[in-house]
Amino acid sequence: MTVNQNAQPSEATGTVDVQVMGFDGVASETQIAPTAQGVTVDELLARKNGFMIAHRGGSADWPEMSLLAYNESANRGIPALEFSFSLTSDGVPVGVHNENLKGVDPSAPDTPVTQMTWEQVRQYKTKGQPFIRLQDLIAAYGSDHVLFVDPKRSAQASDTYLPWLDPQHTILKYSADATWLADIWRAAGFKTWGFFYAESDALKSEAKEQATHWDLIGVTWEAQESTWETAKGYGRPIIGHICPSQDAINKCMSLGAVGVMCSKIDGMTLP
C-alpha cells in the first residue's frame, strides 16, 4: 500500500484520496476522511462520556485491519482505532491478529507471519482487502486519532517498533499478565492498556498487582457485575471489551467503563 501523505482534503467532500497498491501492481482508490479536530491520548482519556475503539477497525462490519475498515470507522466519528501486528521476517509490521494468514485468507499457507516476507504476505488478502502495515495506518490516521497498538508475536522487539509510534497518539495494549512489557512501554513515555482476556483472569489472586503496572485495564463485557466491582477496586480505569452489540456497549458503560473496545461499529452509539 502507498499513502500519499502530501494529499490535501477535497473542498467538496473533505476527504483525502489514498492509493492502495496490490501485489499484482494494480492500484485501487479509496478515501479517508481526516478528523476535523484531532484527538490525543490525554484528550481521549479525559472524555466524560466515554469513547469507542474500533477493534481491528470494526471486524464485525468490514474486513479486519484493512484500510477500508479504518476509513469506515473514522467516517462514523470513532476516535480510536485498534491495530495488531507481527513483524515479518524482513521486519515489516503487518496488520494481522493470528499467527498466520489463514484466518482471513483460506488460500494462504499456514506459515507463521514472522517467517514470511512482506512481499509474500502481500500476495494474500484480509477478507478480500489488501493487508496494510503499521506505517500505512499511521500515515492515514496517526495524527488525528488515537491508535491502540498490540505487537502480538513481536512484543519483545520494542526497540524496533517504539520509535515508529507517537506517545501522544498511541496506547499500547497487551495481556495484563505481561507486566514486564508494560514497564518498558511506560518507561518510554507511552500510556498502556492491560486487558484481562477472560473473566477468570480478572479474579486471579495476582490480578490486582498486575493492574498496578498498567494505566488502564480491560474487563470482558460478558463478565458479571461482581467481577467489574472487583476490578474497579484495582484502582485503574476500565475499558470494556470486545463489544459485539449495542447491549454490550450499554452494559459496560453502566458498570463504570471509561471506554469500550468494539468489533461492531456501524450503528453503535455510546449511551
Side-chain angles (χ1 to χ4, degrees), residues 29-257:
E29 299 290 337
T30 188
Q31 293 181 323
I32 62 174
T35 303
Q37 293 183 334
V39 61
T40 66
V41 168
D42 288 343
E43 290 166 347
L44 184 77
L45 299 181
R47 291 190 173 191
K48 300 299 183 183
N49 297 320
F51 53 86
M52 293 173 62
I53 311 153
H55 183 249
R56 307 185 200 175
S59 57
D61 294 310
W62 309 288
E64 63 181 61
M65 283 187 279
S66 65
L67 186 63
L68 170 65
Y70 293 112
N71 185 38
E72 293 290 348
S73 288
N75 284 343
R76 286 160 175 77
I78 304 302
L81 309 171
E82 190 265 352
F83 185 82
S84 300
F85 74 86
S86 288
L87 294 170
T88 61
S89 62
D90 52 347
V92 176
V94 174
V96 62
H97 179 270
N98 295 340
E99 182 179 10
N100 58 52
L101 306 178
K102 292 191 75 67
V104 292
D105 191 337
S107 71
D110 58 7
T111 307
V113 173
T114 55
Q115 296 177 22
M116 299 175 71
T117 66
W118 169 232
E119 288 301 311
Q120 290 171 331
V121 169
R122 291 175 67 203
Q123 297 180 55
Y124 304 98
K125 304 281 187 177
T126 174
K127 299 188 176 180
Q129 290 289 312
F131 284 100
I132 66 171
R133 304 163 296 181
L134 175 60
Q135 291 93 332
D136 299 319
L137 183 63
I138 291 172
Y141 290 115
S143 63
D144 57 9
H145 285 69
V146 172
L147 306 182
F148 278 69
V149 177
D150 186 335
K152 289 301 176 190
R153 291 155 191 85
S154 301
Q156 294 184 343
S158 56
D159 288 345
T160 297
Y161 59 77
L162 287 185
W164 298 333
L165 302 170
D166 177 3
Q168 293 187 47
H169 288 277
T170 307
I171 293 177
L172 288 157
K173 61 180 281 274
Y174 216 76
S175 175
D177 58 357
T179 55
W180 61 274
L181 198 52
D183 294 343
I184 292 172
W185 291 344
R186 294 178 79 186
F190 288 88
K191 287 288 196 298
T192 61
W193 178 41
F195 54 89
F196 297 110
Y197 188 77
E199 179 174 8
S200 59
D201 295 333
L203 298 174
K204 291 180 179 178
S205 59
E206 61 268 29
K208 185 174 184 178
E209 194 281 328
Q210 290 172 352
T212 64
H213 294 263
W214 302 91
D215 297 289
L216 305 109
I217 57 174
V219 174
T220 176
W221 74 270
E222 300 103 326
Q224 297 181 28
E225 183 175 354
S226 60
T227 300
W228 277 79
E229 289 301 317
T230 297
K232 283 192 282 188
Y234 299 161
R236 291 290 187 268
I238 299 175
I239 293 175
H241 68 97
I242 299 168
C243 297
S245 67
Q246 187 66 56
D247 285 346
I249 293 171
N250 294 347
K251 175 183 176 181
C252 290
M253 298 305 295
S254 71
L255 292 174

